């Protein structure tokens, strides 16, 4: 995030922890975790930090399009031991309630308070564990009655995409085919992602945005 063209409203870097080659022994004693696969690749790619958070926006004097983003990544093993997010409402189906009960938040936007989060789904005998995206405004789009989509990402891949996108709001829609960015109701997301990929390759020349550009082009 070291560029003079972005203003950071909040940044937090927590404490470094240890590297794990396998899940902490605690998980083997917890009944709810019997059969849940926390493989070596997931363990080795878990951030070694209690919290890494940033809320930023483009500087108004920079001449860049208006962009803003936020992310908050925590140590995975701490995150998955937390309670599920309270996403169910009276109209939620039993299947939705079960789905939400299996969610553990891995990324969210506490400062922007936009009602968006990413979760890893804790299920036994599933490898790799699924990653889902929740957007409280998603069901306002015509023809869409849900507020969540599954992402075509593993947990290590998700963390890398946060580093690439810097948490531009809605970047996760590049990794699902369930939602069409061509739809008029997604114009704001579409414009934001287009602006991101117009300016980020110049702002962050050490990062490769080829895949994200191809994903955006395929969805427009």
């Amino acid at each position: 995030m070291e560029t003079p063209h972005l203003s950071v409203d909040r940044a937090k870097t927590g404490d470094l922890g240890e590297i794990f080659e396998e899940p902490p022994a605690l998980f083997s004693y917890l009944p709810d975790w019997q059969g849940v696969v926390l493989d070596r690749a997931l363990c080795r790619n878990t951030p070694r930090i209690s919290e890494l958070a940033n809320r930023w926006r483009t500087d108004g004097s920079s001449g860049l399009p208006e962009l803003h983003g936020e992310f908050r990544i925590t140590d995975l093993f701490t995150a998955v031991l937390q309670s599920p997010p309270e996403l169910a409402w009276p109209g939620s189906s039993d299947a939705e309630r079960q789905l939400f009960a299996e969610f553990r938040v891995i990324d969210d936007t506490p400062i922007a308070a936009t009602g968006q989060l990413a979760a890893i789904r804790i299920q036994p005998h599933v490898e790799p564990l699924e990653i889902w995206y929740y957007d409280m405004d998603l069901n306002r789009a015509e023809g869409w009655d849900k507020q969540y989509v599954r992402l075509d990402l593993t947990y290590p891949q998700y963390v890398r995409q946060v580093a690439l996108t810097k948490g531009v709001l809605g970047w996760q829609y590049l990794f699902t085919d369930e939602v069409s960015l061509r739809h008029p109701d997604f114009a704001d997301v579409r414009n934001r992602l287009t602006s991101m990929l117009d300016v980020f390759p110049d702002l962050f020349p050490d990062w490769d945005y080829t895949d994200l550009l191809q994903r955006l082009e395929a969805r427009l």
Side-chain angles (χ1 to χ4, degrees):
M1 299 295 292
E2 295 183 4
T3 172
H5 303 296
L6 303 182
S7 295
V8 176
D9 299 320
R10 175 185 183 266
K12 183 175 180 179
T13 302
D15 300 323
L16 283 176
E18 60 182 300
I19 297 176
F20 289 97
E21 296 289 336
E22 56 187 29
L26 169 66
F27 287 87
S28 63
Y29 300 107
L30 298 175
D32 291 345
W33 288 83
Q34 300 305 306
V36 175
V37 180
L38 301 173
D39 61 31
R40 177 164 294 189
L42 186 149
C43 294
R44 296 188 67 180
N45 287 282
T46 294
R48 297 172 50 211
I49 199 162
S50 58
E51 181 179 354
L52 183 63
N54 199 291
R55 163 70 172 163
W56 60 269
R57 53 190 165 79
T58 47
D59 192 317
S61 62
S62 67
L64 296 175
E66 181 179 348
L67 276 173
H68 51 97
E70 183 174 7
F71 60 85
R72 182 171 64 170
I73 300 292
T74 60
D75 162 60
L76 177 65
F77 298 120
T78 299
V80 298
L81 289 175
Q82 303 303 308
S83 299
E86 297 182 1
L87 302 179
W89 63 291
S92 297
S93 66
D94 290 342
E96 286 177 324
R97 292 178 186 277
Q98 178 62 36
L99 176 68
F100 297 153
E102 295 168 346
F103 281 179
R104 300 294 184 277
V105 177
I106 58 170
D107 182 24
D108 61 357
T109 56
I111 304 301
T114 52
Q116 298 165 315
L117 62 84
I120 192 167
R121 185 180 182 186
I122 305 304
Q123 294 176 283
H125 314 300
V126 173
E127 185 180 5
L129 294 175
E130 299 170 0
I131 304 296
W132 289 69
Y133 180 60
Y134 176 89
D135 181 349
M136 66 178 297
D137 291 329
L138 179 55
N139 63 347
R140 296 182 182 180
E142 183 182 357
W144 190 263
D145 61 357
K146 298 187 298 183
Q147 296 171 300
Y148 50 89
V149 291
R150 182 179 172 183
L151 301 182
D152 183 23
L153 288 169
T154 63
Y155 176 79
Q157 290 169 343
Y158 185 94
V159 172
R160 175 166 176 76
Q161 295 306 322
V162 170
L164 271 171
T165 64
K166 322 303 178 191
V168 166
L169 297 180
W171 69 263
Q172 292 89 345
Y173 286 116
L174 291 173
F175 291 88
T176 178
D177 290 326
E178 295 184 45
V179 172
S180 173
L181 293 179
R182 302 186 188 94
H183 194 288
D185 288 342
F186 288 93
D188 287 345
V189 175
R190 181 173 64 246
N191 293 337
R192 194 157 53 239
L193 296 180
T194 299
S195 294
M196 174 186 77
L197 291 170
D198 281 343
V199 302
F200 272 24
D202 291 329
L203 291 180
F204 306 104
D206 293 334
W207 293 89
D208 184 0
Y209 288 91
T210 304
D211 178 66
L212 292 183
L213 284 163
Q214 292 173 345
R215 285 180 173 274
L216 180 61
E217 290 174 359
R219 286 160 174 77
L220 295 182

